[in-house]
Amino acid sequence: MRAWRWIRRSLTAVSLGAVGYFFAIALAEHLQATEGACLTPDPLTAVAVACFALAVAVSALLWRSILNRSARAESLGRLDAVEVYIAAWLLKYLPGKAWSYAYRAATARARGIELATLLNSFALETLFLLLASTVPAIPIVLAVALTDSAISIQMLSPLLLLLPVLALLHRPTTERLTEFLYRFLRQPKPPKSARMSGRFLAKMQAGYLVPRVLNGVAFVLITHSLYGVTVDMWAPLVAFYMLAGILGSLAFFAPSGIGVREGVLVGLCIHYFNLEQAALLAIITRIYNLLADLALAAVLVSCRARRWMNE
């Protein structure tokens, strides 16, 4: 047991070292790209970093709810789920997207959670993220592109946020979406006994809107700290970030979606800013996102160090 403990700690140290290496490279490249720009921290950017970090914690608790409901028992506690999710979240900086899922899978399997249950939680998580990021955002983006104004869509944005929730309350829609997702991910459908009610799925979908909106609010705060924004720009900027975020996540070849998310943000934000301003905004947003991940890493290391000292 002692030998296994040291092997586990050594592997953890190597993983953290690799994450730190790629993290440092990403941060250095983005800082170099902002040379000459004013990056003085202010209360708005501090709140933005907090929003980015809080979005990860909320996502961890939502995944825990799905996993525990799939397992029909409380398999992970709240603090354990947050710790596992943060560790997996930081592994996104390693090339390839599989590391994050592999870590969560290995941790869950070590606690006796069946692989089918785990894969089911990943599939539902993906579905909720896709719906929360695209259904509310795409109409706003189209309205901005086609009408050159978001004033009319601004009043409808709360309704747009509710659309994915209302869709999952309709059982046939839920079944078609989940069947399509299982086929796309090449996963076997869970047995009927493991399937969840439409009410629970709608509740989870509403929950997954929270981290997406938190990330969007952080982007609005960063934009306002740089250039200033008017009220009619709030909903479009949130939608821009939601859409860019999910497209970056789907780019499996890009660690943490680096480059892809920035490219989408620039393409969308040139509606309000010139190309140079949009590019700078995208890069600075990534830097504050990296700082939020650095804060999460500090929390994780503190928790792990305290645990190892108690063993």
Side-chain angles (χ1 to χ4, degrees):
M1 290 297 295
R2 184 175 298 178
W4 170 246
R5 187 183 303 162
W6 281 106
I7 291 173
R8 186 182 63 186
R9 291 181 179 181
S10 299
L11 290 175
T12 301
V14 170
S15 299
L16 289 175
V19 170
Y21 172 76
F22 287 106
F23 179 91
I25 289 177
L27 183 59
E29 289 178 351
H30 284 83
L31 285 174
Q32 185 177 7
T34 60
E35 187 175 358
C38 180
L39 294 177
T40 304
D42 58 33
L44 288 180
T45 55
V47 174
V49 170
C51 286
F52 283 139
L54 182 59
V56 177
V58 172
S59 298
L61 295 176
L62 291 168
W63 173 65
R64 169 187 174 270
S65 296
I66 297 172
L67 185 64
N68 289 347
R69 177 62 69 93
S70 299
R72 301 295 175 180
E74 185 165 325
S75 306
L76 279 179
R78 289 185 178 87
L79 293 179
D80 287 341
V82 171
E83 184 178 336
V84 169
Y85 198 92
I86 290 176
W89 178 262
L90 296 174
L91 288 173
K92 67 182 181 177
Y93 289 101
L94 297 179
K97 297 283 186 177
W99 298 101
S100 178
Y101 288 105
Y103 179 83
R104 280 196 280 171
T107 303
R109 290 290 291 154
R111 302 189 182 204
I113 300 174
E114 295 181 358
L115 182 60
T117 299
L118 190 66
L119 293 177
N120 186 51
S121 73
F122 289 161
L124 289 174
E125 180 185 49
T126 303
L127 173 65
F128 295 142
L129 285 173
L130 283 171
L131 290 176
S133 301
T134 57
V135 175
I138 290 177
I140 296 177
V141 172
L142 290 177
V144 172
L146 297 177
T147 66
D148 198 41
S149 174
I151 295 177
S152 58
I153 208 70
Q154 191 91 0
M155 303 299 295
L156 297 176
S157 55
L159 178 60
L160 292 173
L161 288 173
L162 288 175
L163 282 179
V165 179
L166 295 174
L168 289 180
L169 284 173
H170 186 239
R171 190 69 185 179
T173 301
T174 301
E175 291 179 353
R176 291 191 185 96
L177 286 171
T178 52
E179 286 177 3
F180 170 78
L181 186 66
Y182 287 125
R183 286 199 301 269
F184 179 77
L185 297 176
R186 297 181 180 180
Q187 294 184 20
K189 288 176 60 178
K192 289 185 177 181
S193 59
R195 296 182 192 177
M196 303 172 189
S197 67
R199 182 175 298 179
F200 176 80
L201 294 176
K203 178 182 176 181
M204 287 295 98
Q205 183 62 78
Y208 270 94
L209 290 170
V210 175
R212 311 313 297 165
V213 172
L214 280 172
N215 285 329
V217 168
F219 181 61
V220 171
L221 294 174
I222 293 170
T223 307
H224 187 70
S225 70
L226 283 175
Y227 307 126
V229 296
T230 56
V231 174
D232 63 300
M233 295 169 62
W234 290 357
L237 288 174
V238 170
F240 291 170
Y241 195 83
M242 290 168 69
L243 202 55
I246 194 63
L247 291 175
S249 298
L250 293 175
F252 295 101
F253 55 87
S256 188
I258 292 177
V260 177
R261 189 177 72 190
E262 284 73 24
V264 176
L265 272 180
V266 171
L268 293 173
C269 288
I270 55 175
H271 181 83
Y272 294 119
F273 312 106
N274 60 43
L275 182 60
E276 183 178 348
Q277 289 176 322
L280 182 62
L281 173 60
I283 293 171
I284 289 179
T285 300
R286 171 65 73 173
I287 290 174
Y288 284 121
N289 206 280
L290 291 170
L291 292 178
D293 289 344
L294 187 61
L296 291 171
V299 172
L300 178 64
V301 170
S302 176
C303 292
R304 291 290 170 87
R306 189 181 298 111
R307 178 177 298 175
W308 289 350
M309 290 178 64
N310 293 332
E311 289 183 354

